[in-house]
Amino acid sequence: MSKYDLLWKYVSDSGAEKLELSYDDIERISGSAIDHSFLTYKKELLTLGYRVGKISMKEKTIEFIKEK
């Protein structure tokens, strides 16, 4: 079980083509703050048909994109 499983479920269940979430939203959804390990865990999302797009350190947002 990944610490981001709840986040992956949220993104997948959204069905959105593109979804942008703030770091605060992600922490609220997953129960875990974004840290450097996110870069390792993000590949888990590919199995659900999504990928991580732009990660904005300045805006503190992460974009999730549905694969076609």
Side-chain angles (χ1 to χ4, degrees), residues 9-35:
K9 181 173 176 9
Y10 180 88
V11 170
S12 177
D13 287 352
S14 78
E17 294 294 318
K18 188 186 285 188
L19 182 65
E20 185 177 273
L21 297 172
S22 70
Y23 288 9
D24 289 338
D25 291 336
I26 291 168
E27 184 172 358
R28 181 181 45 76
I29 293 164
S30 70
S32 296
I34 290 291
D35 59 23

Side-chain angles (χ1 to χ4, degrees):
M1 182 169 171
S2 165
K3 71 180 187 175
Y4 293 109
D5 280 347
L6 292 174
L7 175 61
W8 304 153
K9 181 173 176 9
Y10 180 88
V11 170
S12 177
D13 287 352
S14 78
E17 294 294 318
K18 188 186 285 188
L19 182 65
E20 185 177 273
L21 297 172
S22 70
Y23 288 9
D24 289 338
D25 291 336
I26 291 168
E27 184 172 358
R28 181 181 45 76
I29 293 164
S30 70
S32 296
I34 290 291
D35 59 23
H36 189 67
S37 72
F38 181 80
L39 298 175
T40 301
Y41 285 104
K42 71 178 186 174
K43 65 182 174 241
E44 298 173 342
L45 191 55
L46 294 171
T47 62
L48 298 173
Y50 280 84
R51 66 179 171 84
V52 173
K54 182 179 177 185
I55 299 174
S56 174
M57 302 285 284
K58 181 179 177 184
E59 300 295 322
K60 296 187 178 184
T61 59
I62 298 178
E63 179 181 75
F64 300 92
I65 301 168
K66 189 172 192 175
E67 292 286 284
K68 296 183 180 184

